[in-house]
Amino acid sequence: MLNGPIGPPNPVFPGGQSAPEEMKLRKAAEELEASFLSEMLKAAGLDGAPPSFGGGMGEAQFASFLRDEQARQMVQAGGIGLSETLFQALKERNHD
């Protein structure tokens, strides 16, 4: 029975960074893009459910969760390209 992954434990990509480091950087870049998109949705007035849902205190308190999830889904669908730019910048900064 194998006790761990097959192959090198931390493959190194061109640029000298291992797979886990690259994954962490990409995740951070995606979270930053999602935060940005969430704030843009809020500024555009898309920070809640349509008024037909009745509003109320509960809706107002949970609107940010809906907006944040919508922003995450936008990033997963390709976003606006900000996460890739952020990823490349973070990768370059970590390489130095």
Side-chain angles (χ1 to χ4, degrees), residues 9-94:
N10 286 320
V12 176
F13 290 101
Q17 293 179 334
S18 67
E21 290 173 4
E22 293 256 337
M23 289 173 60
K24 286 179 188 177
L25 291 177
R26 185 161 302 279
K27 178 76 173 157
E30 289 173 355
E31 286 296 320
L32 284 168
E33 182 176 9
S35 294
F36 174 78
L37 288 173
S38 179
E39 288 301 314
M40 293 299 102
L41 290 171
K42 182 178 179 181
L46 302 173
D47 60 343
S52 61
F53 282 109
M57 210 151 159
E59 184 178 317
Q61 291 176 340
F62 288 98
S64 66
F65 292 114
L66 174 62
R67 188 180 62 248
D68 290 345
E69 187 56 34
Q70 288 170 333
R72 282 188 201 95
Q73 291 300 311
M74 290 171 69
V75 170
Q76 291 304 309
I80 58 173
L82 183 59
S83 64
E84 186 60 31
T85 302
L86 291 168
F87 171 70
Q88 294 300 328
L90 289 170
K91 195 164 84 167
E92 285 178 24
R93 188 193 73 179
N94 263 11

